[in-house]
Amino acid sequence: MRPDGQPPARRRGMVGRDPGEPHRASTPLELLFDLCFVVAVAQASEGLLEALSHGTYATGFLSFALVFFTIWWAWMNFTWFASAYDVDDVPYRLLVLIQITGSLVLAAGVPRAFDGGDLRVVTVGYVLLRTALAASWVRVARSDPGRRTTALRFAAGVTLCQAGWVCLLALPAAARLPGMALLIVAEVSVPVWAQSAGMTPWHPRHISERYGLFTLIVIGESVAATTLAVQSAFARHQGTAALGAVAAGGLCTAFAMWWLYFDEPAHTLLETTHRFHRRRFTWAYGHYLAFASAAAEGAGLSAYAEHVTTGPGAPPLAAAAAVTVPAAVFLTVVWSVHLRPHQRSAAQGAPYPVVAAGILLSTWSPAPALAVGGLLAALVVLLTARRRPARAPAA
């Protein structure tokens, strides 16, 4: 936005935006992009819930991790591209709308990916949205001579990876998992390789806001999934006390996850220590585990709500671990990549791993959801008390 509150004038070609532009915020098109990705996140969470409800924990979490990677990776690549090259002209809008269409196709294929490992629809959606992104990088190469090599590397890397995903469908089932692992390594290597030829003009405050918005999406999905599961169980009039513990613990967990993530502003890191350093990739990539664990927490809480009302369809420890492990992963990752760089001493960071260990130990507690929520809430209280300014002595 300009100082007078009006949107910036549209530019001809894919000219990089000013990384120091004041009042930079998410555009309506980016918000529409996020809104459509909510569908994909919800489908992935629902697929994990179905797997947990049937007791297929290992395959369920593996399928969820792979599907969520495609969702997160597509979102992240668009986010960093838009931060540098959102020119808001007609070709740009059309290419973004194609990416949104691809995300919806991907979401439609998520149930098949969980049920029998059919990846055809997911692959079609993923290739559609990634091909549109590659076309956008070709536009950058034509319009921004100073970053032509970077743009061409992005376009070539993205295109080759999509060819790899298509070829993966022709492999026998036994070879698909190793093939996926290789393609994931290739995907995450493309930005590192491309940006080594020259950094794109991304905006630190804009990136911080975009990541914050996606954090709200996954936490919101966690709240929604838990609410629906508890509502359904209450309708059956079963396990009222146990369900109350799940609901209270889930709510405290969601509130604490929000509080902890937004406890420190990310843009201060991105503007300083993480701007011209590879640590920005650690920060950007590390959020995959934060986002995935937040979404998985909702599925875990929902599965545990079903467990306490319908009986021991799954081992009690496995059902409890579906609640405790995602919460511990979220706390550990958020602290490691998002909060720890702000801290000046080891003592400041000590409570985080201690609470994470306590969360894992609560797997053996009679009310793991309530224990997780209580531990995270206690951590928030401790951190808030630490920052309270000392009162002046009385005169």
Side-chain angles (χ1 to χ4, degrees):
M1 299 290 289
R2 297 191 318 222
D4 59 2
Q6 298 300 315
R10 295 181 185 175
R11 291 154 284 182
R12 297 178 63 85
M14 300 295 286
V15 179
R17 295 187 65 159
D18 179 7
E21 178 183 337
H23 311 297
R24 180 73 189 276
S26 299
T27 66
L29 185 57
E30 288 177 308
L31 297 178
L32 176 63
F33 190 88
D34 288 356
L35 180 63
C36 293
F37 264 75
V38 171
V39 179
V41 172
Q43 288 293 321
S45 182
E46 179 65 24
L48 177 58
L49 173 59
E50 287 292 325
L52 296 179
S53 299
H54 290 90
T56 54
Y57 286 82
T59 56
F61 274 109
L62 179 59
S63 298
F64 173 79
L66 293 172
V67 169
F68 197 88
F69 172 81
T70 63
I71 297 169
W72 163 78
W73 188 244
W75 176 89
M76 195 191 80
N77 276 248
F78 166 75
T79 292
W80 286 81
F81 178 89
S83 187
Y85 291 105
D86 182 358
V87 295
D88 198 32
D89 59 6
V90 172
Y92 175 84
R93 289 185 175 189
L94 292 176
L95 286 170
V96 173
L97 294 176
I98 292 174
Q99 292 181 66
I100 291 174
T101 302
S103 74
L104 296 175
V105 174
L106 189 157
V110 168
R112 290 189 176 189
F114 277 92
D115 185 15
D118 185 353
L119 298 174
R120 288 176 295 180
V121 178
V122 168
T123 301
V124 169
Y126 187 63
V127 170
L128 178 61
L129 65 89
R130 297 286 284 163
T131 302
L133 179 65
S136 297
W137 281 115
V138 171
R139 290 193 69 205
V140 172
R142 296 175 58 186
S143 304
D144 191 352
R147 299 182 182 89
R148 178 180 174 83
T149 301
T150 299
L152 289 176
R153 285 186 179 186
F154 266 115
V158 169
T159 301
L160 288 174
C161 285
Q162 301 330 295
W165 288 108
V166 173
C167 292
L168 186 69
L169 297 177
L171 294 179
R176 286 187 179 178
L177 188 58
M180 290 178 187
L182 289 174
L183 285 170
I184 288 173
V185 171
E187 290 271 19
V188 299
S189 299
V190 169
V192 179
W193 170 58
Q195 297 262 18
S196 66
M199 189 171 62
T200 55
W202 53 275
H203 195 290
R205 288 181 178 268
H206 178 249
I207 289 293
S208 174
E209 181 192 25
R210 300 292 294 128
Y211 272 69
L213 289 173
F214 202 80
T215 301
L216 294 177
I217 287 174
V218 292
I219 293 177
E221 173 54 36
S222 180
V223 172
T226 307
T227 301
L228 290 175
V230 172
Q231 179 185 11
S232 175
F234 270 130
R236 297 192 297 266
H237 303 289
Q238 295 175 324
T240 303
L243 281 175
V246 174
L251 195 61
C252 287
T253 298
F255 289 168
M257 289 166 69
W258 169 83
W259 194 299
L260 292 168
Y261 183 86
F262 292 99
D263 194 46
E264 294 285 356
H267 66 83
T268 58
L269 298 177
L270 297 174
E271 289 173 340
T272 55
T273 57
H274 288 47
R275 180 148 186 86
F276 300 104
H277 196 279
R278 290 290 176 87
R279 277 192 288 179
R280 72 178 181 273
F281 284 108
T282 302
W283 183 89
Y285 289 2
H287 272 73
Y288 164 71
L289 290 174
F291 293 153
S293 59
E297 180 67 15
L301 286 165
S302 300
Y304 193 78
E306 292 186 7
H307 172 76
V308 299
T309 56
T310 60
L317 282 181
V323 175
T324 59
V325 172
V329 171
F330 178 86
L331 177 60
T332 302
V333 173
V334 168
W335 169 63
S336 299
V337 304
H338 188 64
L339 300 176
R340 190 177 182 182
H342 291 277
Q343 297 165 355
R344 298 181 178 180
S345 67
Q348 286 183 296
Y352 296 90
V354 172
V355 172
I359 288 174
L360 292 177
L361 289 174
S362 67
T363 303
W364 285 268
S365 73
L370 190 60
V372 169
L375 286 168
L376 289 175
L379 177 60
V380 169
V381 171
L382 174 63
L383 298 177
T384 304
R386 273 184 175 184
R387 293 184 177 179
R388 182 179 300 173
R391 297 181 63 181

